[in-house]
Amino acid sequence: MNQKQQKHFVLVHGVCVGAWCWYKLKPQLESIGHKVTTLDLAACGTNTQKIEDVHTFADYSKPLLEFLASLDSNEKVVLVGHSFGGMSIALAMEKFPEKIAVGIFIAAFIPDTLHQPLYVLQQYIERYPMSGWLDTEISFDGRKMGVLTGINYSTKIFQLCSKEDLELVKILRRTGSLFIEDLSEVENLSKERYESVPGACIIGNEDLAIPLDYQKWMIQNAGIDVLKVIDGADHMPMLSKPQELSLSLLEIANKFVT
């Protein structure tokens, strides 16, 4: 593959996990000649910060924003966000639209420009009360609303993953935050910047974490018309269906990166 055909994928994980969750997908894309960057957001994966010391959503997303800022001015990446990582790539699309060829949301929260970014989280909480969030335990303290603790994905959200991957999740998961308080003060994303970046979505038809009806509502609400559905994928297609996810990412990237 020559340099012109090579694409640069930047993969952004969801809450409570880290860059390690892409361990199956990254070598698949690299084996056919593409460049892949995986990042640990603040207090995630091997990042040494503690979630209690990360006070804003921008601070949480800082590793991604710093990486994009460091790219050459003529380089455009395929930016991929999973689950809560959709919020981080949306912020990146707003700040660095000129450096992103397409933003791909995988089973992700997708903000729009008519409301604050928090809106899609608020709607999710209203429609699906926390008492029904499977076996996820939620705690709120006075200083930092939205802190997630005691995550137990073992039999529900990762229901189609292998036993080995479930064990990996148990060992490596970390406490995360939805940054509810901070996001309530964040301004709307703009049509001029955020919406100027093409968007696409990939969902799994066996997702138990973010119901398909809600994902489709967000996709319509955000005006995204490129959608791929992976049969037999749970909320973590990078673990349960990595080959199918790789093919879907490549098909989308080929539409937007020449």
Side-chain angles (χ1 to χ4, degrees), residues 239-255:
L239 298 178
S240 61
K241 290 287 184 179
Q243 185 172 1
E244 292 83 352
L245 178 58
S246 177
L247 290 172
S248 293
L249 287 172
L250 289 169
E251 286 178 19
I252 293 170
N254 286 334
K255 287 178 182 285

Side-chain angles (χ1 to χ4, degrees), residues 160-176:
L160 297 175
C161 294
S162 69
K163 291 180 180 179
E164 292 82 2
D165 285 337
L166 290 176
E167 197 60 36
L168 197 62
V169 170
K170 292 176 188 177
I171 293 169
L172 297 177
R173 66 191 176 198
R174 293 181 63 181
T175 299

